[in-house]
Amino acid sequence: MSANKTMMKRVSTLRVNLSLMAAAMALAGCANLAPTHERPAPPVAPNWPQAAAPVQGNAAQALAWQQFYAGDARLRALIELALQNNRDLRVAALNAEQARAQARVSDASRWPTISAGLISSRATASNDRISSSYSAGLQVSAYEVDLLGKLKNNSDAAAARYLASVEGQRAAQITLVASVAAAHLALQADEALLALAERTQASRSDSLRLIRLRFDAGVASVLDLRSAESAEAAARASLAQLQRQRAQDENALVLLLGQALPAALPAATPLERLALAEVPAGLPSDVLVQRPDVLQAEQQLIAANASIGAARAAFFPAITLTASAGSASGQLSDLFKNGAWSFASQLLMPIFDAGRLDANLASVKAGREIAQAQYEKAIQLAFREVADALAGNATLGQQLQAQTVQTQAERDRLALVELRHRQGAAGSLELLDAQRASFAAEQALVQVQLAQALNRVQAYKALGGGVSQALRH
């Protein structure tokens, strides 16, 4: 009967200890010393400086990149390859996975660690006899009661950093999609300029050969010959430069793809026929705060707020609990016959630390100010990117129209001069001048076409477009 009473008493005591630990866990985090997060007001104008007439259509964030680049099958295939193989995007995804694991580690510190163990020890007593002891059971070691939210704030900070890394992954994909599009368009412009340079070089070589024949016949002057030689050399120099530029742009595209260019790619759409959709800009207050890079900066600000709460809580006493329950015996054969338990608590109050806690709090407060400044800078940068894209959209159309007219006029002028030159009514210098002007106008036309296409790409990126469905919120 007495054995039953003893056992009941042990069970009752264990229940009390477990109840105390459960109560401590329930009280954990009941207070929070972290500042309340409030999203700072955007430090930008309420409207875009180049506000235009409203554009009908889906917002950039709702428009999939497959739809935006629907007019170029080759570009869509290149973007798919880049999303699969680009190393920067892979690093961004792994950073998010690492931050997720670190957040789980930080959150686990809010809960007690329960271990099971078997301990044996042998020692020599004062009478030279050897004593043995054995114990087995469950143990909770140094569980900190989070009354002021230190552990919770550390966990919240880690969770915010994880969310920031997720936004960083989305921002990396937006940048990658736009970079692949820009590299592809630059390569298309290189192809067009290279073809133009090859035609021009061939034409000037023919002109030089004819002028040499005329010079040998005494019809053309030395000035005509030297001018033709200069023009032909300039064409060859321009051709070599464009060949180098094309190779470098192709290398840049290969780096973005993370692999060599496949041989079996769809045909590209020429720049002059490429149609990219216009997307509505919306209001800065609606668009900018939804950009992944801005959301990433905001999560960093939330993490800095939580770190302040953890630093403040370090000034107060820390309460730790240690408990164990199991059995103990001096003989291994009797190990599970005798119950044993222990419960200990500890309160530590910082008294003197040479200013370490004050310095740490000052550091995390400064970190919060840095995070807020970075958030505001991210908004300002996003505002400028959108404003630049809108400015380009408002003027590049007019520039392209004017450049098209000039290019056609120079083509017609060259054709007329060539006709007059064949009839002997125009000199060689007049022909060379018309050739140079037509070549320059043709180059300028390709460059304006490229600028307009790149501006559409930049507008789509600046407004937050380019995220795959799997990464959207």
Side-chain angles (χ1 to χ4, degrees):
M1 187 69 178
S2 60
N4 289 337
K5 289 183 177 180
T6 302
M7 181 61 69
M8 293 295 293
K9 184 176 180 181
R10 289 174 179 168
V11 172
S12 177
T13 305
L14 181 59
R15 286 177 176 173
V16 171
N17 292 332
L18 292 175
S19 299
L20 290 174
M21 185 170 289
M25 292 173 61
L27 289 173
C30 61
N32 195 335
L33 302 180
T36 302
H37 171 69
E38 294 182 0
R39 176 179 287 175
V44 293
N47 294 297
W48 309 112
Q50 288 85 13
V55 177
Q56 300 298 322
N58 293 329
Q61 295 175 358
L63 184 65
W65 62 262
Q66 293 91 337
Q67 295 174 279
F68 183 74
Y69 298 113
D72 195 328
R74 185 184 184 93
L75 177 53
R76 294 199 307 274
L78 292 174
I79 292 175
E80 287 284 1
L81 289 173
L83 293 178
Q84 295 170 11
N85 301 304
N86 181 265
R87 299 310 188 269
D88 288 336
L89 189 61
R90 188 175 300 176
V91 168
L94 292 173
N95 284 338
E97 187 62 28
Q98 183 182 43
R100 179 175 177 270
Q102 290 172 343
R104 291 176 60 191
V105 170
S106 183
D107 187 63
S109 64
R110 299 174 57 192
W111 306 96
T113 300
I114 302 175
S115 305
L118 176 65
I119 302 173
S120 66
S121 64
R122 293 172 65 85
T124 302
S126 58
N127 56 3
D128 292 334
R129 297 183 60 184
I130 297 177
S131 64
S132 302
S133 65
Y134 304 91
S135 63
L138 303 178
Q139 182 174 357
V140 176
S141 300
Y143 167 65
E144 183 174 353
V145 181
D146 195 24
L147 293 178
L148 297 175
K150 180 176 72 173
L151 299 179
K152 181 181 183 301
N153 281 316
N154 284 332
S155 177
D156 290 345
R161 284 190 288 270
Y162 161 62
L163 294 177
S165 68
V166 172
E167 297 299 340
Q169 182 184 3
R170 296 174 66 235
Q173 178 169 318
I174 288 176
T175 300
L176 176 61
V177 169
S179 297
V180 172
H184 167 72
L185 293 173
L187 196 57
Q188 289 302 103
D190 291 339
E191 296 283 1
L193 291 172
L194 193 57
L196 173 63
E198 289 173 346
R199 293 195 304 270
T200 300
Q201 197 272 333
S203 174
R204 292 186 181 178
S205 295
D206 291 340
S207 296
L208 176 59
R209 184 168 55 254
L210 292 174
I211 291 176
R212 274 182 179 156
L213 292 174
R214 296 180 66 190
F215 176 77
D216 292 339
V219 178
S221 67
V222 176
L223 179 60
D224 292 336
L225 178 61
R226 295 295 179 259
S227 298
E229 289 175 342
S230 174
E232 194 273 340
R236 285 190 286 111
S238 179
L239 180 60
Q241 178 187 2
L242 288 169
Q243 288 171 337
R244 181 176 65 253
Q245 184 64 47
R246 186 199 178 284
Q248 292 173 344
D249 286 343
E250 182 174 329
N251 293 337
L253 180 57
V254 167
L255 179 61
L256 290 171
L257 296 184
Q259 66 166 67
L261 279 173
L265 280 173
T269 302
L271 277 177
E272 65 271 15
R273 296 207 306 267
L274 180 62
L276 298 177
E278 285 191 53
V279 290
L283 295 175
S285 58
D286 297 331
V287 174
L288 300 183
V289 295
Q290 296 301 319
R291 276 188 27 154
D293 55 338
V294 175
L295 291 173
Q296 181 182 17
E298 184 178 10
Q299 290 299 330
Q300 295 288 6
L301 178 57
I302 293 174
N305 270 336
S307 296
I308 290 177
R312 287 174 175 172
F315 285 88
F316 295 88
I319 302 173
T320 58
L321 305 176
T322 300
S324 64
S327 59
S329 174
Q331 298 292 329
L332 184 60
S333 58
D334 298 331
L335 176 59
F336 295 103
K337 294 182 179 180
N338 302 314
W341 61 270
S342 67
F343 183 83
S345 61
Q346 178 178 268
L347 186 147
L348 291 177
M349 175 71 180
I351 300 298
F352 174 76
D353 65 354
R356 183 181 296 108
L357 294 178
D358 288 321
N360 182 61
L361 180 59
S363 174
V364 295
K365 283 184 175 179
R368 186 202 177 279
E369 295 303 315
I370 292 172
Q372 179 167 342
Q374 289 174 333
Y375 172 78
E376 293 171 347
K377 180 181 177 181
I379 288 185
Q380 290 174 337
L381 178 61
F383 185 90
R384 181 203 166 172
E385 289 179 353
V386 177
D388 285 349
L390 293 177
N393 187 57
T395 57
L396 279 168
Q398 299 172 3
Q399 183 180 356
L400 178 60
Q401 183 179 9
Q403 187 62 49
T404 301
V405 172
Q406 181 190 8
T407 302
Q408 187 59 51
E410 291 296 345
R411 289 171 184 167
D412 295 342
R413 175 194 170 201
L414 176 59
L416 291 174
V417 171
E418 287 177 339
L419 178 61
R420 295 179 68 235
H421 183 263
R422 287 194 297 269
Q423 296 173 348
S428 299
L429 294 180
E430 185 179 356
L431 176 61
L432 291 175
D433 179 68
Q435 288 175 339
R436 290 192 188 100
S438 179
F439 180 60
E442 295 280 2
Q443 284 185 315
L445 179 61
V446 174
Q447 290 164 353
V448 175
Q449 290 170 344
L450 174 62
Q452 185 180 51
L454 290 177
N455 188 76
R456 292 285 176 87
V457 171
Q458 176 60 24
Y460 181 61
K461 171 182 175 289
L463 293 169
V467 179
S468 296
Q469 187 67 36
L471 290 182
R472 293 185 185 177
H473 291 308

